[in-house]
Amino acid sequence: MTANIDSSAAKRNDAVIKIGGCCFIQSRVKINEEKKRCNFYKHCTTNTRIEESTQNAVHHPMPNDTFCHKCEINRNARSHHCRVCKVCVLEYDHHCPWINGCIGYNNYRNFVLLIFYIMLGCWYGACLLALDFYAMMREYFQDNGFKIMGPQYGTGILDLPPPWTLLKDYRNTGKIDDDVILRAVFPFLLFVSICMFVFLLDHLLSIAKGYTTLEKKTRPDRNDVVNPFDLGIRKNFERVFGKSLINIIIPFPTHKKW
């Protein structure tokens, strides 16, 4: 009976190390290499501010290793158990449903760059369509009149036709009117780009302060809170994006390989 319990615990620990935060996807990282990565992380995040800070200060996040009662393993500081992936993730930021995985130490930089690329692409598309959209909407309101809920279909200021009308027109003509596509695509690109800008700005502010999204949300509302992993704005950004300008905009690996 004891042997079976030990065997199941060993398998659970191996799964935690192998998965590494991605939902139900086996990682190619070897177990021994992942252990070395965690040790390297522990060495790199050692900050003398922990020793220099006053004894009465509140440290957040805590610089000490912790024990996960769900995984039943000792884990590095800043690790958090993801209830979706059911694993402990190093420097856990959040679980992203859009990529179906956890954002943590190994992929946080790529996630931030993904937001930046989406924002940049949407801004580029919106800029290309801006003049045509303005000219089309101006001509449309001149011909049909201006109404808040739309002069023709009553679906809003963009006056987009309802889905059943689009389907009927597509069956009759074999295509969707270019003006309808433009009225739908340009606002969508503009909306997504603004949302991505807000998300990107929030993550950049977190990086500047040395926090993850989870740590920022759970920070105690006190004036004496000290972040032992805050290395300063410049070093915080270098730690995530690297020191090279090329590494900032191109997703080359920045962490040490084993």
Side-chain angles (χ1 to χ4, degrees):
M1 185 67 178
T2 305
N4 293 334
I5 296 176
D6 294 340
S7 177
S8 61
K11 290 181 179 179
R12 180 169 60 252
N13 292 344
D14 288 346
V16 171
I17 296 174
K18 287 180 181 177
I19 293 177
C22 298
C23 285
F24 318 114
I25 299 176
Q26 292 295 328
S27 174
R28 297 180 181 179
V29 179
K30 297 180 180 180
I31 296 177
N32 293 331
E33 293 177 353
E34 188 66 17
K35 289 181 179 179
K36 291 180 181 179
R37 186 192 301 274
C38 290
N39 292 331
F40 174 74
Y41 168 86
K42 183 185 298 184
H43 173 72
C44 288
T45 53
T46 301
N47 191 347
T48 56
R49 297 189 184 188
I50 301 176
E51 301 175 356
E52 295 174 356
S53 60
T54 61
Q55 296 179 356
N56 296 328
V58 177
H59 292 144
H60 181 77
M62 292 297 295
N64 304 324
D65 294 349
T66 58
F67 180 81
C68 179
H69 294 281
K70 297 179 181 179
C71 296
E72 297 181 359
I73 59 171
N74 292 318
R75 60 189 182 186
N76 294 89
R78 308 187 79 180
S79 298
H80 181 79
H81 184 88
C82 177
R83 61 183 180 180
V84 179
C85 299
K86 301 185 185 305
V87 294
C88 287
V89 181
L90 185 64
E91 204 168 310
Y92 178 88
D93 188 85
H94 70 285
H95 181 87
C96 180
W98 301 105
I99 66 172
N100 191 31
C102 288
I103 307 301
Y105 174 74
N106 290 326
N107 61 353
Y108 181 64
R109 173 176 171 273
N110 292 338
F111 175 77
V112 176
L113 288 178
L114 174 64
I115 298 177
F116 172 73
Y117 294 148
I118 295 176
M119 181 196 71
L120 198 63
C122 289
W123 275 119
Y124 177 72
C127 290
L128 291 178
L129 299 176
L131 294 178
D132 291 335
F133 176 80
Y134 173 77
M136 183 271 299
M137 291 299 295
R138 182 177 180 181
E139 182 179 355
Y140 184 79
F141 287 133
Q142 287 177 350
D143 296 339
N144 300 280
F146 177 80
K147 292 182 179 180
I148 296 298
M149 294 306 298
Q152 187 174 356
Y153 299 104
T155 56
I157 193 171
L158 295 174
D159 203 28
L160 294 171
W164 50 88
T165 303
L166 285 176
L167 181 60
K168 182 179 179 180
D169 293 342
Y170 182 77
R171 288 179 176 177
N172 294 333
T173 63
K175 67 175 185 178
I176 299 177
D177 187 64
D178 293 340
D179 289 349
V180 174
I181 296 177
L182 183 58
R183 293 206 303 271
V185 172
F186 175 78
F188 175 76
L189 292 176
L190 192 62
F191 173 76
V192 173
S193 62
I194 293 175
C195 290
M196 292 298 104
F197 174 76
V198 174
F199 292 154
L200 180 63
L201 182 62
D202 180 66
H203 281 284
L204 293 179
L205 291 176
S206 298
I207 294 174
K209 297 180 180 179
Y211 284 120
T212 64
T213 300
L214 179 65
E215 292 167 353
K216 184 173 65 175
K217 290 182 178 179
T218 58
R219 183 183 183 276
D221 188 14
R222 298 176 52 171
N223 296 327
D224 58 346
V225 176
V226 175
N227 182 1
F229 299 96
D230 184 9
L231 305 175
I233 296 178
R234 179 176 179 178
K235 289 187 177 180
N236 286 339
F237 274 95
E238 288 180 352
R239 180 178 174 276
V240 175
F241 296 104
K243 298 182 179 180
S244 173
L245 180 62
I246 297 178
N247 287 337
I248 295 178
I249 58 177
I250 300 178
F252 290 140
T254 57
H255 298 318
K256 184 176 179 179
K257 292 185 177 180
W258 304 97

Short mmCIF file of all heavy atoms in Angstrom, two decimals, residues 184-245:
data_model
loop_
_atom_site.label_atom_id
_atom_site.label_comp_id
_atom_site.label_asym_id
_atom_site.label_seq_id
_atom_site.Cartn_x
_atom_site.Cartn_y
_atom_site.Cartn_z
N ALA A 184 -18.05 47.00 -40.77
CA ALA A 184 -17.89 46.02 -39.69
C ALA A 184 -16.43 45.85 -39.28
O ALA A 184 -16.11 45.76 -38.09
CB ALA A 184 -18.47 44.68 -40.12
N VAL A 185 -15.53 45.81 -40.25
CA VAL A 185 -14.13 45.48 -39.97
C VAL A 185 -13.40 46.64 -39.29
O VAL A 185 -12.66 46.42 -38.32
CB VAL A 185 -13.40 45.08 -41.27
CG1 VAL A 185 -11.90 44.93 -41.03
CG2 VAL A 185 -13.98 43.78 -41.81
N PHE A 186 -13.58 47.86 -39.78
CA PHE A 186 -12.83 48.99 -39.22
C PHE A 186 -13.14 49.20 -37.73
O PHE A 186 -12.21 49.32 -36.92
CB PHE A 186 -13.11 50.27 -40.00
CG PHE A 186 -12.47 51.49 -39.41
CD1 PHE A 186 -11.11 51.74 -39.58
CD2 PHE A 186 -13.22 52.38 -38.64
CE1 PHE A 186 -10.52 52.85 -39.01
CE2 PHE A 186 -12.64 53.49 -38.07
CZ PHE A 186 -11.28 53.73 -38.26
N PRO A 187 -14.42 49.27 -37.31
CA PRO A 187 -14.68 49.42 -35.86
C PRO A 187 -14.15 48.25 -35.05
O PRO A 187 -13.70 48.43 -33.91
CB PRO A 187 -16.20 49.51 -35.78
CG PRO A 187 -16.63 49.95 -37.13
CD PRO A 187 -15.66 49.32 -38.08
N PHE A 188 -14.20 47.04 -35.62
CA PHE A 188 -13.69 45.87 -34.90
C PHE A 188 -12.19 45.99 -34.67
O PHE A 188 -11.70 45.75 -33.56
CB PHE A 188 -14.00 44.60 -35.69
CG PHE A 188 -13.41 43.36 -35.09
CD1 PHE A 188 -13.98 42.78 -33.96
CD2 PHE A 188 -12.28 42.77 -35.64
CE1 PHE A 188 -13.43 41.64 -33.40
CE2 PHE A 188 -11.72 41.64 -35.07
CZ PHE A 188 -12.30 41.07 -33.95
N LEU A 189 -11.44 46.36 -35.71
CA LEU A 189 -10.00 46.53 -35.57
C LEU A 189 -9.67 47.63 -34.57
O LEU A 189 -8.74 47.50 -33.75
CB LEU A 189 -9.37 46.85 -36.92
CG LEU A 189 -9.37 45.73 -37.97
CD1 LEU A 189 -8.80 46.25 -39.29
CD2 LEU A 189 -8.59 44.53 -37.48
N LEU A 190 -10.42 48.71 -34.62
CA LEU A 190 -10.18 49.83 -33.70
C LEU A 190 -10.46 49.42 -32.27
O LEU A 190 -9.70 49.74 -31.34
CB LEU A 190 -11.07 51.01 -34.10
CG LEU A 190 -10.75 52.35 -33.44
CD1 LEU A 190 -9.35 52.82 -33.80
CD2 LEU A 190 -11.79 53.39 -33.85
N PHE A 191 -11.54 48.68 -32.05
CA PHE A 191 -11.91 48.23 -30.71
C PHE A 191 -10.86 47.27 -30.14
O PHE A 191 -10.43 47.42 -28.99
CB PHE A 191 -13.28 47.56 -30.75
CG PHE A 191 -13.68 46.92 -29.46
CD1 PHE A 191 -14.12 47.68 -28.40
CD2 PHE A 191 -13.61 45.54 -29.31
CE1 PHE A 191 -14.49 47.10 -27.19
CE2 PHE A 191 -13.98 44.94 -28.11
CZ PHE A 191 -14.42 45.72 -27.05
N VAL A 192 -10.44 46.30 -30.95
CA VAL A 192 -9.44 45.32 -30.47
C VAL A 192 -8.12 46.01 -30.18
O VAL A 192 -7.45 45.69 -29.18
CB VAL A 192 -9.26 44.20 -31.51
CG1 VAL A 192 -8.12 43.27 -31.11
CG2 VAL A 192 -10.54 43.40 -31.65
N SER A 193 -7.71 46.94 -31.02
CA SER A 193 -6.43 47.63 -30.81
C SER A 193 -6.45 48.44 -29.52
O SER A 193 -5.46 48.49 -28.79
CB SER A 193 -6.12 48.53 -32.00
OG SER A 193 -7.11 49.54 -32.14
N ILE A 194 -7.58 49.07 -29.20
CA ILE A 194 -7.68 49.83 -27.96
C ILE A 194 -7.64 48.90 -26.75
O ILE A 194 -6.96 49.18 -25.75
CB ILE A 194 -8.98 50.67 -27.94
CG1 ILE A 194 -8.90 51.76 -29.02
CG2 ILE A 194 -9.21 51.31 -26.58
CD1 ILE A 194 -10.18 52.56 -29.17
N CYS A 195 -8.35 47.76 -26.84
CA CYS A 195 -8.32 46.78 -25.75
C CYS A 195 -6.91 46.24 -25.53
O CYS A 195 -6.44 46.12 -24.38
CB CYS A 195 -9.28 45.64 -26.05
SG CYS A 195 -11.02 46.08 -25.98
N MET A 196 -6.21 45.92 -26.62
CA MET A 196 -4.85 45.40 -26.50
C MET A 196 -3.91 46.45 -25.93
O MET A 196 -3.00 46.12 -25.16
CB MET A 196 -4.34 44.94 -27.87
CG MET A 196 -5.04 43.71 -28.43
SD MET A 196 -4.84 42.24 -27.40
CE MET A 196 -6.48 42.16 -26.63
N PHE A 197 -4.14 47.72 -26.27
CA PHE A 197 -3.31 48.79 -25.72
C PHE A 197 -3.49 48.88 -24.20
O PHE A 197 -2.52 49.05 -23.46
CB PHE A 197 -3.65 50.11 -26.38
CG PHE A 197 -2.95 51.30 -25.76
CD1 PHE A 197 -1.61 51.54 -26.02
CD2 PHE A 197 -3.63 52.16 -24.91
CE1 PHE A 197 -0.96 52.63 -25.45
CE2 PHE A 197 -2.99 53.24 -24.33
CZ PHE A 197 -1.65 53.47 -24.61
N VAL A 198 -4.72 48.77 -23.74
CA VAL A 198 -5.00 48.82 -22.30
C VAL A 198 -4.35 47.63 -21.60
O VAL A 198 -3.71 47.79 -20.54
CB VAL A 198 -6.52 48.84 -22.04
CG1 VAL A 198 -6.81 48.75 -20.54
CG2 VAL A 198 -7.14 50.11 -22.61
N PHE A 199 -4.48 46.43 -22.18
CA PHE A 199 -3.86 45.25 -21.59
C PHE A 199 -2.34 45.39 -21.56
O PHE A 199 -1.69 45.06 -20.56
CB PHE A 199 -4.24 44.00 -22.38
CG PHE A 199 -5.68 43.63 -22.26
CD1 PHE A 199 -6.32 42.91 -23.26
CD2 PHE A 199 -6.41 44.00 -21.15
CE1 PHE A 199 -7.65 42.56 -23.14
CE2 PHE A 199 -7.75 43.66 -21.03
CZ PHE A 199 -8.37 42.94 -22.03
N LEU A 200 -1.77 45.86 -22.66
CA LEU A 200 -0.32 46.01 -22.75
C LEU A 200 0.19 47.02 -21.73
O LEU A 200 1.20 46.79 -21.06
CB LEU A 200 0.07 46.44 -24.16
CG LEU A 200 1.57 46.66 -24.42
CD1 LEU A 200 2.34 45.36 -24.23
CD2 LEU A 200 1.80 47.22 -25.82
N LEU A 201 -0.50 48.14 -21.61
CA LEU A 201 -0.10 49.16 -20.64
C LEU A 201 -0.14 48.62 -19.22
O LEU A 201 0.76 48.89 -18.41
CB LEU A 201 -1.01 50.38 -20.78
CG LEU A 201 -0.69 51.58 -19.86
CD1 LEU A 201 0.70 52.12 -20.16
CD2 LEU A 201 -1.74 52.67 -20.04
N ASP A 202 -1.15 47.83 -18.90
CA ASP A 202 -1.27 47.25 -17.57
C ASP A 202 -0.11 46.31 -17.27
O ASP A 202 0.46 46.34 -16.18
CB ASP A 202 -2.60 46.51 -17.45
CG ASP A 202 -2.79 45.89 -16.08
OD1 ASP A 202 -2.92 46.63 -15.10
OD2 ASP A 202 -2.81 44.64 -15.99
N HIS A 203 0.28 45.48 -18.24
CA HIS A 203 1.39 44.56 -18.04
C HIS A 203 2.72 45.30 -17.95
O HIS A 203 3.60 44.91 -17.16
CB HIS A 203 1.42 43.53 -19.16
CG HIS A 203 0.43 42.43 -18.99
ND1 HIS A 203 0.59 41.39 -18.10
CD2 HIS A 203 -0.76 42.20 -19.61
CE1 HIS A 203 -0.44 40.57 -18.17
NE2 HIS A 203 -1.28 41.04 -19.07
N LEU A 204 2.89 46.34 -18.75
CA LEU A 204 4.14 47.11 -18.69
C LEU A 204 4.29 47.80 -17.34
O LEU A 204 5.40 47.87 -16.79
CB LEU A 204 4.18 48.13 -19.82
CG LEU A 204 4.28 47.57 -21.24
CD1 LEU A 204 4.30 48.70 -22.26
CD2 LEU A 204 5.52 46.70 -21.40
N LEU A 205 3.21 48.30 -16.80
CA LEU A 205 3.26 48.92 -15.47
C LEU A 205 3.60 47.88 -14.40
O LEU A 205 4.33 48.16 -13.45
CB LEU A 205 1.93 49.59 -15.15
CG LEU A 205 1.59 50.84 -15.97
CD1 LEU A 205 0.20 51.35 -15.63
CD2 LEU A 205 2.62 51.93 -15.76
N SER A 206 3.08 46.66 -14.57
CA SER A 206 3.40 45.59 -13.62
C SER A 206 4.86 45.21 -13.71
O SER A 206 5.52 44.98 -12.69
CB SER A 206 2.51 44.37 -13.90
OG SER A 206 1.15 44.67 -13.72
N ILE A 207 5.39 45.13 -14.93
CA ILE A 207 6.81 44.80 -15.11
C ILE A 207 7.68 45.88 -14.48
O ILE A 207 8.69 45.57 -13.84
CB ILE A 207 7.13 44.65 -16.61
CG1 ILE A 207 6.40 43.43 -17.18
CG2 ILE A 207 8.64 44.50 -16.83
CD1 ILE A 207 6.54 43.30 -18.69
N ALA A 208 7.31 47.13 -14.66
CA ALA A 208 8.11 48.22 -14.11
C ALA A 208 8.19 48.15 -12.59
O ALA A 208 9.22 48.52 -11.99
CB ALA A 208 7.51 49.56 -14.54
N LYS A 209 7.16 47.65 -11.95
CA LYS A 209 7.14 47.54 -10.49
C LYS A 209 7.61 46.19 -9.98
O LYS A 209 7.66 45.98 -8.77
CB LYS A 209 5.73 47.83 -9.97
CG LYS A 209 5.26 49.25 -10.27
CD LYS A 209 3.85 49.48 -9.74
CE LYS A 209 3.37 50.89 -10.04
NZ LYS A 209 1.99 51.11 -9.53
N GLY A 210 7.92 45.27 -10.90
CA GLY A 210 8.41 43.96 -10.50
C GLY A 210 7.34 43.02 -10.00
O GLY A 210 7.63 42.09 -9.24
N TYR A 211 6.11 43.21 -10.43
CA TYR A 211 5.00 42.37 -10.00
C TYR A 211 4.45 41.57 -11.17
O TYR A 211 4.58 41.95 -12.34
CB TYR A 211 3.85 43.21 -9.43
CG TYR A 211 4.09 43.74 -8.05
CD1 TYR A 211 4.09 45.11 -7.80
CD2 TYR A 211 4.27 42.88 -6.96
CE1 TYR A 211 4.29 45.61 -6.53
CE2 TYR A 211 4.47 43.37 -5.69
CZ TYR A 211 4.49 44.74 -5.48
OH TYR A 211 4.69 45.23 -4.21
N THR A 212 3.81 40.44 -10.84
CA THR A 212 2.96 39.75 -11.81
C THR A 212 1.54 40.25 -11.61
O THR A 212 1.24 40.98 -10.66
CB THR A 212 3.01 38.23 -11.60
OG1 THR A 212 2.46 37.91 -10.32
CG2 THR A 212 4.45 37.72 -11.67
N THR A 213 0.64 39.86 -12.51
CA THR A 213 -0.74 40.30 -12.39
C THR A 213 -1.36 39.81 -11.09
O THR A 213 -2.06 40.57 -10.40
CB THR A 213 -1.56 39.77 -13.58
OG1 THR A 213 -1.01 40.28 -14.80
CG2 THR A 213 -3.01 40.22 -13.48
N LEU A 214 -1.10 38.57 -10.74
CA LEU A 214 -1.65 38.01 -9.49
C LEU A 214 -1.07 38.72 -8.27
O LEU A 214 -1.80 39.04 -7.33
CB LEU A 214 -1.36 36.52 -9.42
CG LEU A 214 -1.85 35.81 -8.16
CD1 LEU A 214 -3.37 35.83 -8.09
CD2 LEU A 214 -1.33 34.38 -8.12
N GLU A 215 0.23 38.97 -8.28
CA GLU A 215 0.87 39.63 -7.14
C GLU A 215 0.36 41.07 -6.98
O GLU A 215 0.22 41.55 -5.86
CB GLU A 215 2.39 39.62 -7.33
CG GLU A 215 2.99 38.23 -7.24
CD GLU A 215 4.42 38.19 -7.74
OE1 GLU A 215 4.91 39.21 -8.28
OE2 GLU A 215 5.05 37.12 -7.61
N LYS A 216 0.11 41.73 -8.08
CA LYS A 216 -0.39 43.11 -8.01
C LYS A 216 -1.80 43.15 -7.42
O LYS A 216 -2.14 44.05 -6.64
CB LYS A 216 -0.37 43.74 -9.39
CG LYS A 216 -0.77 45.21 -9.41
CD LYS A 216 -0.57 45.82 -10.77
CE LYS A 216 -1.48 45.19 -11.80
NZ LYS A 216 -1.38 45.86 -13.11
N LYS A 217 -2.61 42.16 -7.79
CA LYS A 217 -3.98 42.13 -7.28
C LYS A 217 -4.04 41.75 -5.81
O LYS A 217 -4.95 42.19 -5.09
CB LYS A 217 -4.82 41.15 -8.11
CG LYS A 217 -5.10 41.62 -9.52
CD LYS A 217 -5.98 40.63 -10.25
CE LYS A 217 -6.31 41.13 -11.66
NZ LYS A 217 -7.16 40.16 -12.40
N THR A 218 -3.10 40.93 -5.36
CA THR A 218 -3.12 40.47 -3.97
C THR A 218 -2.21 41.29 -3.06
O THR A 218 -2.00 40.91 -1.90
CB THR A 218 -2.69 38.99 -3.90
OG1 THR A 218 -1.38 38.84 -4.48
CG2 THR A 218 -3.66 38.12 -4.66
N ARG A 219 -1.66 42.37 -3.56
CA ARG A 219 -0.77 43.21 -2.75
C ARG A 219 -1.53 43.84 -1.60
O ARG A 219 -2.60 44.43 -1.81
CB ARG A 219 -0.15 44.31 -3.61
CG ARG A 219 0.85 45.19 -2.87
CD ARG A 219 1.36 46.29 -3.80
NE ARG A 219 2.38 47.09 -3.15
CZ ARG A 219 2.14 48.13 -2.35
NH1 ARG A 219 0.87 48.48 -2.10
NH2 ARG A 219 3.11 48.83 -1.81
N PRO A 220 -1.01 43.74 -0.37
CA PRO A 220 -1.69 44.36 0.77
C PRO A 220 -1.77 45.87 0.62
O PRO A 220 -0.85 46.51 0.10
CB PRO A 220 -0.80 43.97 1.96
CG PRO A 220 -0.03 42.78 1.51
CD PRO A 220 0.18 42.96 0.04
N ASP A 221 -2.86 46.43 1.05
CA ASP A 221 -3.07 47.87 0.95
C ASP A 221 -2.43 48.57 2.15
O ASP A 221 -3.10 49.04 3.07
CB ASP A 221 -4.58 48.18 0.88
CG ASP A 221 -4.84 49.65 0.58
OD1 ASP A 221 -3.90 50.34 0.16
OD2 ASP A 221 -6.00 50.09 0.76
N ARG A 222 -1.09 48.59 2.12
CA ARG A 222 -0.31 49.21 3.19
C ARG A 222 0.84 50.00 2.59
O ARG A 222 1.25 49.77 1.46
CB ARG A 222 0.23 48.14 4.15
CG ARG A 222 -0.83 47.33 4.85
CD ARG A 222 -0.24 46.23 5.70
NE ARG A 222 0.79 46.70 6.63
CZ ARG A 222 1.31 45.95 7.58
NH1 ARG A 222 0.92 44.69 7.75
NH2 ARG A 222 2.25 46.44 8.38
N ASN A 223 1.34 50.94 3.36
CA ASN A 223 2.44 51.78 2.88
C ASN A 223 3.81 51.17 3.10
O ASN A 223 4.80 51.63 2.52
CB ASN A 223 2.38 53.15 3.56
CG ASN A 223 1.13 53.92 3.20
OD1 ASN A 223 0.61 53.81 2.09
ND2 ASN A 223 0.62 54.71 4.14
N ASP A 224 3.89 50.15 3.96
CA ASP A 224 5.19 49.56 4.29
C ASP A 224 5.44 48.25 3.55
O ASP A 224 6.25 47.44 3.99
CB ASP A 224 5.30 49.34 5.80
CG ASP A 224 4.19 48.45 6.34
OD1 ASP A 224 3.21 48.21 5.60
OD2 ASP A 224 4.30 47.99 7.49
N VAL A 225 4.76 48.05 2.43
CA VAL A 225 4.96 46.82 1.65
C VAL A 225 6.21 46.95 0.81
O VAL A 225 6.40 47.95 0.10
CB VAL A 225 3.74 46.54 0.76
CG1 VAL A 225 3.99 45.31 -0.11
CG2 VAL A 225 2.50 46.34 1.60
N VAL A 226 7.09 45.96 0.89
CA VAL A 226 8.34 45.94 0.13
C VAL A 226 8.33 44.75 -0.83
O VAL A 226 8.04 43.63 -0.42
CB VAL A 226 9.57 45.84 1.07
CG1 VAL A 226 10.85 45.71 0.26
CG2 VAL A 226 9.63 47.05 1.99
N ASN A 227 8.62 45.02 -2.10
CA ASN A 227 8.73 43.95 -3.08
C ASN A 227 10.18 43.52 -3.16
O ASN A 227 11.02 44.24 -3.72
CB ASN A 227 8.24 44.42 -4.44
CG ASN A 227 8.30 43.33 -5.50
OD1 ASN A 227 8.69 42.19 -5.21
ND2 ASN A 227 7.92 43.65 -6.72
N PRO A 228 10.54 42.36 -2.63
CA PRO A 228 11.95 41.95 -2.62
C PRO A 228 12.48 41.60 -4.00
O PRO A 228 13.68 41.45 -4.16
CB PRO A 228 11.93 40.72 -1.71
CG PRO A 228 10.56 40.19 -1.80
CD PRO A 228 9.66 41.38 -1.96
N PHE A 229 11.62 41.51 -5.00
CA PHE A 229 12.05 41.16 -6.36
C PHE A 229 12.08 42.38 -7.28
O PHE A 229 12.30 42.23 -8.48
CB PHE A 229 11.13 40.09 -6.94
CG PHE A 229 11.12 38.82 -6.16
CD1 PHE A 229 10.14 38.59 -5.21
CD2 PHE A 229 12.10 37.86 -6.35
CE1 PHE A 229 10.14 37.41 -4.48
CE2 PHE A 229 12.10 36.69 -5.62
CZ PHE A 229 11.12 36.46 -4.68
N ASP A 230 11.84 43.56 -6.73
CA ASP A 230 11.88 44.79 -7.52
C ASP A 230 13.33 45.25 -7.65
O ASP A 230 13.94 45.68 -6.67
CB ASP A 230 11.03 45.86 -6.85
CG ASP A 230 10.97 47.14 -7.66
OD1 ASP A 230 11.44 47.13 -8.82
OD2 ASP A 230 10.43 48.15 -7.15
N LEU A 231 13.88 45.16 -8.85
CA LEU A 231 15.28 45.53 -9.09
C LEU A 231 15.43 46.94 -9.65
O LEU A 231 16.52 47.34 -10.01
CB LEU A 231 15.90 44.53 -10.07
CG LEU A 231 15.81 43.05 -9.69
CD1 LEU A 231 16.36 42.18 -10.81
CD2 LEU A 231 16.55 42.80 -8.39
N GLY A 232 14.34 47.67 -9.76
CA GLY A 232 14.37 48.96 -10.42
C GLY A 232 13.75 48.83 -11.81
O GLY A 232 13.74 47.75 -12.40
N ILE A 233 13.26 49.93 -12.35
CA ILE A 233 12.52 49.88 -13.61
C ILE A 233 13.35 49.30 -14.74
O ILE A 233 12.90 48.40 -15.47
CB ILE A 233 12.02 51.29 -13.98
CG1 ILE A 233 11.02 51.81 -12.94
CG2 ILE A 233 11.36 51.27 -15.36
CD1 ILE A 233 10.52 53.20 -13.21
N ARG A 234 14.57 49.78 -14.90
CA ARG A 234 15.39 49.32 -16.02
C ARG A 234 15.71 47.84 -15.92
O ARG A 234 15.54 47.08 -16.89
CB ARG A 234 16.69 50.14 -16.07
CG ARG A 234 17.61 49.71 -17.21
CD ARG A 234 18.82 50.61 -17.29
NE ARG A 234 19.72 50.19 -18.34
CZ ARG A 234 20.85 50.82 -18.66
NH1 ARG A 234 21.21 51.92 -18.00
NH2 ARG A 234 21.61 50.37 -19.64
N LYS A 235 16.16 47.39 -14.76
CA LYS A 235 16.53 45.98 -14.60
C LYS A 235 15.30 45.08 -14.63
O LYS A 235 15.39 43.92 -15.07
CB LYS A 235 17.30 45.79 -13.31
CG LYS A 235 18.69 46.38 -13.34
CD LYS A 235 19.49 46.01 -12.11
CE LYS A 235 20.92 46.54 -12.20
NZ LYS A 235 21.71 46.18 -10.99
N ASN A 236 14.16 45.60 -14.20
CA ASN A 236 12.94 44.81 -14.29
C ASN A 236 12.57 44.52 -15.74
O ASN A 236 12.17 43.40 -16.08
CB ASN A 236 11.78 45.54 -13.60
CG ASN A 236 11.90 45.50 -12.09
OD1 ASN A 236 12.58 44.65 -11.53
ND2 ASN A 236 11.23 46.43 -11.42
N PHE A 237 12.72 45.53 -16.58
CA PHE A 237 12.43 45.33 -18.00
C PHE A 237 13.49 44.45 -18.66
O PHE A 237 13.17 43.62 -19.52
CB PHE A 237 12.34 46.68 -18.73
CG PHE A 237 10.98 47.31 -18.65
CD1 PHE A 237 10.69 48.25 -17.67
CD2 PHE A 237 10.00 46.97 -19.55
CE1 PHE A 237 9.44 48.83 -17.59
CE2 PHE A 237 8.74 47.54 -19.49
CZ PHE A 237 8.46 48.48 -18.50
N GLU A 238 14.74 44.63 -18.28
CA GLU A 238 15.81 43.79 -18.84
C GLU A 238 15.62 42.34 -18.43
O GLU A 238 15.93 41.43 -19.21
CB GLU A 238 17.17 44.29 -18.36
CG GLU A 238 17.60 45.60 -19.00
CD GLU A 238 18.96 46.06 -18.50
OE1 GLU A 238 19.47 45.42 -17.55
OE2 GLU A 238 19.49 47.04 -19.05
N ARG A 239 15.12 42.12 -17.25
CA ARG A 239 14.91 40.76 -16.77
C ARG A 239 13.85 40.03 -17.59
O ARG A 239 13.93 38.83 -17.83
CB ARG A 239 14.50 40.79 -15.31
CG ARG A 239 14.26 39.44 -14.69
CD ARG A 239 13.91 39.58 -13.23
NE ARG A 239 13.54 38.29 -12.69
CZ ARG A 239 12.33 37.77 -12.77
NH1 ARG A 239 11.38 38.45 -13.38
NH2 ARG A 239 12.05 36.59 -12.26
N VAL A 240 12.84 40.77 -18.08
CA VAL A 240 11.77 40.17 -18.86
C VAL A 240 12.11 40.14 -20.34
O VAL A 240 11.94 39.10 -21.01
CB VAL A 240 10.44 40.93 -18.64
CG1 VAL A 240 9.34 40.37 -19.54
CG2 VAL A 240 10.02 40.84 -17.18
N PHE A 241 12.59 41.25 -20.89
CA PHE A 241 12.78 41.37 -22.33
C PHE A 241 14.21 41.18 -22.79
O PHE A 241 14.46 41.00 -23.98
CB PHE A 241 12.29 42.74 -22.81
CG PHE A 241 10.83 42.96 -22.63
CD1 PHE A 241 10.35 43.77 -21.61
CD2 PHE A 241 9.91 42.36 -23.47
CE1 PHE A 241 9.00 43.97 -21.43
CE2 PHE A 241 8.56 42.56 -23.31
CZ PHE A 241 8.10 43.36 -22.28
N GLY A 242 15.17 41.22 -21.87
CA GLY A 242 16.57 41.14 -22.26
C GLY A 242 17.16 42.52 -22.47
O GLY A 242 16.46 43.54 -22.48
N LYS A 243 18.47 42.57 -22.67
CA LYS A 243 19.17 43.84 -22.81
C LYS A 243 19.25 44.33 -24.25
O LYS A 243 19.48 45.50 -24.50
CB LYS A 243 20.58 43.73 -22.24
CG LYS A 243 20.62 43.42 -20.75
CD LYS A 243 22.05 43.36 -20.24
CE LYS A 243 22.08 43.09 -18.74
NZ LYS A 243 23.47 43.04 -18.22
N SER A 244 19.09 43.44 -25.21
CA SER A 244 19.21 43.82 -26.62
C SER A 244 17.90 44.40 -27.13
O SER A 244 16.81 43.91 -26.79
CB SER A 244 19.61 42.60 -27.46
OG SER A 244 19.58 42.91 -28.84
N LEU A 245 18.00 45.44 -27.97
CA LEU A 245 16.82 46.05 -28.56
C LEU A 245 16.10 45.06 -29.47
O LEU A 245 14.86 45.05 -29.56
CB LEU A 245 17.20 47.31 -29.34
CG LEU A 245 16.05 48.06 -30.02
CD1 LEU A 245 15.05 48.56 -28.97
CD2 LEU A 245 16.58 49.22 -30.85
#
